[in-house]
């Protein structure tokens, strides 16, 4: 792992534990095991660091969500694949999941970073638009639909984090997905 990656990993852990304001750059570099000034070779300031970390986590998530997506043939199976991938990704990357929960609406995440982060979900938004057009799911505003889906997925994810053995239980996965599906299907 190079120094930049060490800094990002340490920042992720420390931001989750102490928040943005209570995580000085000196603590990040100490945790990363690099010289104090090294952080500033890669990032102008702590704000840039957290925005880069945010997008790095978004990249990790979008890569995880797409696994097996193209092999699915129906709208429901594609959405279920995204749902299961989200649960699996969150269990495998719990620190990143918790980071998003803490910082998704934080003022330290810049507007340009948010826009870039949202742009990474074009494929999912296109799927939702397709579902609305084909009258498979309810015809509602896409922003509302994505907020609803994220709320249900996050609630289920917290449950799976507390009960990780259930992630391997196909019946329970289907039951948990059905709460999401039943809330949006037409």
């Amino acid at each position: 792992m190079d120094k930049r990656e060490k800094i990002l990993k340490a920042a992720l852990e420390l931001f989750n534990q102490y928040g943005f304001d209570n995580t000085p750059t000196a603590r990040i570099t100490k945790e990363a095991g690099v010289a104090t000034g090294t952080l500033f070779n890669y990032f102008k300031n702590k704000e840039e660091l957290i925005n880069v970390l945010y997008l790095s986590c978004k990249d990790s998530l979008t890569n995880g969500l797409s696994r097996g997506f193209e092999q699915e043939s129906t709208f429901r199976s594609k959405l279920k694949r995204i749902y299961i991938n989200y649960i699996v990704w969150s269990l495998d990357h719990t620190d990143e999941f918790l980071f998003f929960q803490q910082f998704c609406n934080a003022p330290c995440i810049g507007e340009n970073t948010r826009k870039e982060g949202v742009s990474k979900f074009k494929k999912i938004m296109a799927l939702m638009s397709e579902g609305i057009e084909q009258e498979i799911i309810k015809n509602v505003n896409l922003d509302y639909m994505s907020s609803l889906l994220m709320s249900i997925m996050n609630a289920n994810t917290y449950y799976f984090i507390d009960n990780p053995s259930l992630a391997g239980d196909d019946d329970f996965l289907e039951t948990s997905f059905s709460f999401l599906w039943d809330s949006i299907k037409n």
Side-chain angles (χ1 to χ4, degrees), residues 41-104:
N41 290 335
Y42 298 100
F43 310 100
K44 286 186 275 188
N45 50 41
K46 188 167 69 167
E47 288 77 11
E48 182 180 342
L49 168 62
I50 198 166
N51 280 269
V52 168
L53 181 59
Y54 182 85
L55 291 175
S56 173
C57 291
K58 285 274 187 176
D59 285 339
S60 174
L61 173 59
T62 54
N63 289 335
L65 292 179
S66 64
R67 289 194 178 104
F69 180 82
E70 299 301 327
Q71 286 79 20
E72 302 297 340
S73 58
T74 66
F75 179 87
R76 186 183 189 283
S77 67
K78 288 178 181 181
L79 186 61
K80 185 176 178 183
R81 173 58 40 210
I82 291 168
Y83 171 77
I84 290 172
N85 286 347
Y86 188 78
I87 300 298
V88 168
W89 179 86
S90 297
L91 291 173
D92 289 344
H93 299 88
T94 304
D95 283 345
E96 291 168 303
F97 171 78
L98 294 173
F99 175 82
F100 281 136
Q101 300 311 301
Q102 182 174 355
F103 291 103
C104 65

Side-chain angles (χ1 to χ4, degrees), residues 31 53 91 100 124 134 156 158 174:
E31 180 74 22
L53 181 59
L91 291 173
F100 281 136
I124 295 171
Q134 294 178 5
N156 284 343
Y158 278 115
E174 180 60 37

